[in-house]
Amino acid sequence: MVRSSSTIKSTIGLIDIGSCPLHLIHNSFKIGMDNTKWSIEEFLNNLGCWFSRSPSRREDYLNVTKTLSNKVGKFIRRFIMTRWLDAGPIIERVIEQWLNLKEYFLQFIPINNKISINNQHYVQIKLILQTRIIFIRLNFLVFLYHNIYKHILTWFQQTQPLIHLLHNECEQLIRRLFTCFIKEDLIKNKTLDELIHISYHNQKNQKSDSSNMILFMHNMTLFVYLDIDLGEATRRCLYNLSEEENKIFFNDIRNLYTSIAHELLRTLPLKNNLLRHLQCLHPTMRLSTTSHKSIMNIARSFPQLIQSNDIDRIGAEWYIYQNENIPNEWFEKSHEYQSIDYYWKHIFTLKTNTGIDKFLALPKLIKCVLALSHGNADVERGFSENAFLLTNERSLLSHASINGLRATRDGVKFFGNGKPHEVSITKDLLDFVRNAHSRYCMDLEKQQEKLLTKKRIFTEQQLTNDLYENLIHIQKMIDEGTERLRKAILLKDFQEIGIAQLLIQDENKKLAIINKQISINNQQSNQLRKKQKK
């Protein structure tokens, strides 16, 4: 666990980088919405369910939209509160279709008696559409989606290694959120630690509700306090509200902002020192005065993989890395940065004048770090891809077949940017396709041979076990004959002596046969195991 700002204390076990921030960010919005009484989730779910699996309702709605304008009517997808990345576009669609929806639900349905006016979904949709403030709330949520959530949630969908940027992205999320409702002088040029300790619940530290700017002079410095950020589309709709409705709306906005801030500050790994130190892996941090201290702290946080002598070598190699003359094209690519693994791959190709690798211990650490995931989106996407492959018609696919299909999909993504027709057709690829069936048959033969070998080994082992059981039985009979012979000698019973000698001789013959058979079986089993290894 990370507890100190100067060093990282780690124990043998898992590396602590916190929970997946993607889910934490989703949950922050849900918690913010739970502190309002807007009923947005219920409204959007009712809209999605209304048109779902109902061709007649869809046809009626399209006919209504044609009478209003030449634009084609669009339906509302199902809304899931925990997937805010999809919720933004859904709400945008509702706003785009707002006039069509009001015409359809408030005018068309009551006049044409298409359904019972007591239909539960219809009653709830109609009640929301008749509320003036709902359109303003929807516009504000679209602003929240674009200004706060869209960037970070899209960023988490990437598959390249981004663990070194995770701490900074979480910090920028907090800064964007605070910029919306906290006074500028309280957040300008402030460090993350200073931001965390701002009393954001205190309304004196929040921006005003008024649409007018407030000028404030402090220590000969002029501060301009703008009103709380709602988005321009939201602000243009406020004139329709009464003074009381306006007051309630702004109070909801403040509660929503503070609830989201509280949840993000509570759950995001903002105080995780390992993530903070990992920022030194970025190319722009190479010459930073704190980068050497950071890489040493990172090395100490991997005691399972990095030994003490490796840590000393990593410190020395980092100084070499800082003094290297690195070409810009290794980390810059048309006004953006190359993938971090691409950059470090080139760094590790550097050699000394004698042809020896310059970096020996550092690559081991960097590879360990870049193996850490910045979130679970890529893993969960893999589950979705498996579910897409395993349809009702393909439910009997083996693990090997699923792995092969997944490998093919990954190959298309890598070589053709996800488009099969853009994959280059090479001679090697054609050869692999031509020989696919023959290799498949060879694999089947090898699997069959392995199966037969396992069966033979099992049979030999079973036979050997039976022989050892017989061996134990024979040894008992020999011991019994020996005891009878001893007693007969003591009693001078010559008839009993003869019987005991015959019993011992017979069992000794059986013992010799069993031992020979066991020796033969052991040799055969060893030969089968050698073939199986090959």
Side-chain angles (χ1 to χ4, degrees):
M1 298 292 291
V2 177
R3 288 291 182 267
S4 172
S5 60
S6 58
T7 59
I8 297 178
K9 297 180 181 179
S10 299
T11 56
I12 300 299
L14 298 177
I15 302 299
D16 177 24
I17 57 173
S19 303
C20 174
L22 182 61
H23 296 85
L24 303 179
I25 295 170
H26 279 308
N27 292 338
S28 71
F29 172 75
K30 186 178 186 305
I31 290 173
M33 292 299 297
D34 290 342
N35 288 325
T36 67
K37 297 180 180 179
W38 291 2
S39 303
I40 299 295
E41 180 180 12
E42 182 181 9
F43 172 61
L44 296 179
N45 278 330
N46 286 331
L47 282 179
C49 293
W50 183 263
F51 296 107
S52 176
R53 301 177 183 177
S54 181
S56 61
R57 292 176 181 175
R58 288 171 173 261
E59 184 179 0
D60 289 339
Y61 180 72
L62 292 177
N63 291 333
V64 168
T65 59
K66 289 179 181 178
T67 61
L68 292 177
S69 64
N70 294 325
K71 295 182 179 179
V72 178
K74 299 178 181 179
F75 303 108
I76 311 303
R77 289 188 301 162
R78 181 169 175 262
F79 174 71
I80 303 175
M81 180 63 76
T82 56
R83 297 198 62 182
W84 184 229
L85 188 63
D86 292 336
I90 292 174
I91 297 176
E92 286 181 318
R93 174 70 61 81
V94 172
I95 293 174
E96 176 189 340
Q97 299 288 306
W98 188 252
L99 294 178
N100 296 335
L101 291 171
K102 292 186 71 172
E103 178 70 18
Y104 173 74
F105 285 102
L106 302 183
Q107 303 295 330
F108 176 81
I109 291 179
I111 294 175
N112 291 273
N113 297 320
K114 288 287 185 177
I115 60 166
S116 170
I117 60 174
N118 295 322
N119 181 291
Q120 183 180 1
H121 289 298
Y122 173 72
V123 171
Q124 292 174 348
I125 293 173
K126 181 180 178 182
L127 181 63
I128 294 294
L129 289 174
Q130 289 175 334
T131 306
R132 289 188 304 171
I133 200 171
I134 184 64
F135 188 70
I136 302 174
R137 292 170 177 171
L138 292 174
N139 275 285
F140 171 72
L141 293 179
V142 170
F143 163 77
L144 198 64
Y145 163 70
H146 284 289
N147 200 47
I148 303 298
Y149 285 96
K150 183 178 181 180
H151 168 77
I152 188 70
L153 295 179
T154 306
W155 183 83
F156 273 107
Q157 302 303 314
Q158 299 179 79
T159 58
Q160 59 180 298
L162 296 171
I163 190 66
H164 63 297
L165 299 177
L166 179 57
H167 189 272
N168 181 66
E169 288 295 328
C170 292
E171 178 182 344
Q172 296 306 315
L173 173 63
I174 297 298
R175 291 187 183 277
R176 287 197 301 272
L177 178 62
F178 276 12
T179 302
C180 292
F181 74 106
I182 299 296
K183 292 178 180 179
E184 184 180 355
D185 63 303
L186 297 177
I187 59 177
K188 188 176 182 180
N189 300 324
K190 294 297 190 294
T191 65
L192 178 61
D193 290 336
E194 291 172 332
L195 287 178
I196 291 175
H197 291 93
I198 291 177
S199 298
Y200 53 87
H201 288 97
N202 190 344
Q203 192 165 341
K204 293 181 180 180
N205 295 329
Q206 298 176 3
K207 294 181 178 180
S208 66
D209 297 348
S210 173
S211 59
N212 298 319
M213 294 188 299
I214 300 176
L215 301 181
F216 177 72
M217 181 71 73
H218 177 67
N219 293 335
M220 302 304 293
T221 302
L222 181 65
F223 293 103
V224 181
Y225 287 164
L226 300 176
D227 50 334
I228 192 168
D229 286 352
L230 307 173
E232 192 60 28
T234 309
R235 195 170 299 283
R236 289 177 180 177
C237 300
L238 291 178
Y239 69 90
N240 291 324
L241 300 180
S242 65
E243 184 177 348
E244 183 62 25
E245 288 175 330
N246 193 73
K247 182 178 179 181
I248 294 173
F249 175 71
F250 273 99
N251 187 58
D252 288 341
I253 296 298
R254 293 185 187 281
N255 289 335
L256 196 147
Y257 272 137
T258 54
S259 299
I260 292 175
H262 175 75
E263 183 64 16
L264 291 177
L265 291 174
R266 185 183 70 85
T267 57
L268 288 181
L270 299 170
K271 297 181 180 180
N272 190 308
N273 278 348
L274 175 58
L275 293 179
R276 180 169 58 85
H277 287 303
L278 287 176
Q279 296 178 90
C280 73
L281 301 185
H282 197 280
T284 59
M285 295 293 292
R286 179 168 63 98
L287 300 179
S288 171
T289 55
T290 61
S291 65
H292 187 271
K293 177 182 177 182
S294 293
I295 197 65
M296 295 302 290
N297 278 286
I298 295 171
R300 295 187 187 108
S301 68
F302 287 82
Q304 308 93 326
L305 300 169
I306 308 299
Q307 305 300 323
S308 298
N309 56 342
D310 288 333
I311 294 177
D312 296 334
R313 188 175 184 89
I314 286 171
E317 290 182 357
W318 191 262
Y319 282 127
I320 297 174
Y321 162 66
Q322 288 182 310
N323 292 310
E324 282 294 329
N325 185 18
I326 297 175
N328 290 340
E329 55 267 21
W330 286 8
F331 58 90
E332 290 183 354
K333 178 185 178 182
S334 61
H335 307 293
E336 62 181 21
Y337 291 109
Q338 293 274 18
S339 175
I340 190 67
D341 52 344
Y342 177 90
Y343 169 74
W344 282 103
K345 181 187 72 172
H346 284 78
I347 296 296
F348 297 148
T349 58
L350 296 174
K351 299 182 182 299
T352 64
N353 294 332
T354 58
I356 301 174
D357 291 336
K358 285 188 176 182
F359 304 105
L360 300 176
L362 191 59
K364 184 178 180 181
L365 175 63
I366 301 300
K367 290 176 182 178
C368 292
V369 170
L370 296 184
L372 298 175
S373 175
H374 60 281
N376 292 342
D378 193 31
V379 177
E380 294 177 359
R381 192 180 296 113
F383 295 149
S384 300
E385 290 183 2
N386 286 345
F388 176 77
L389 292 173
L390 292 172
T391 60
N392 293 333
E393 294 78 17
R394 310 172 76 185
S395 59
L396 297 179
L397 289 176
S398 64
H399 291 295
S401 297
I402 295 173
N403 290 336
L405 291 170
R406 286 294 304 275
T408 303
R409 289 172 64 91
D410 292 341
V412 171
K413 287 181 182 178
F414 184 79
F415 294 104
N417 296 320
K419 301 175 182 178
H421 62 276
E422 292 188 5
V423 178
S424 300
I425 306 300
T426 63
K427 183 179 181 300
D428 291 337
L429 180 60
L430 293 174
D431 290 339
F432 279 121
V433 173
R434 293 190 188 99
N435 300 328
H437 181 70
S438 61
R439 290 200 307 273
Y440 173 71
C441 293
M442 290 175 62
D443 289 339
L444 285 181
E445 291 178 1
K446 289 181 180 178
Q447 292 177 8
Q448 190 67 24
E449 186 177 348
K450 288 181 179 179
L451 184 61
L452 292 174
T453 303
K454 288 181 179 179
K455 288 182 178 179
R456 289 172 186 169
I457 291 176
F458 176 77
T459 303
E460 293 293 336
Q461 289 177 343
Q462 188 66 37
L463 181 58
T464 301
N465 293 336
D466 293 341
L467 291 173
Y468 274 111
E469 289 180 2
N470 292 334
L471 185 64
I472 293 171
H473 177 71
I474 292 171
Q475 189 62 47
K476 288 182 179 179
M477 296 298 295
I478 292 174
D479 293 340
E480 181 182 345
T482 304
E483 182 63 22
R484 290 178 64 177
L485 179 61
R486 185 183 67 79
K487 290 180 179 180
I489 292 173
L490 292 175
L491 297 174
K492 298 182 179 180
D493 187 347
F494 295 103
Q495 184 178 359
E496 183 65 20
I497 291 173
I499 294 173
Q501 287 178 339
L502 289 174
L503 178 62
I504 293 171
Q505 290 175 1
D506 185 51
E507 295 300 328
N508 280 330
K509 290 179 181 179
K510 291 181 181 180
L511 180 62
I513 295 172
I514 292 295
N515 284 331
K516 184 177 180 180
Q517 188 63 45
I518 289 175
S519 177
I520 294 172
N521 286 344
N522 287 337
Q523 291 177 1
Q524 292 177 350
S525 297
N526 291 334
Q527 290 176 356
L528 287 174
R529 289 192 182 93
K530 289 179 180 179
K531 289 182 179 180
Q532 190 179 24
K533 289 181 180 179
K534 292 179 180 179

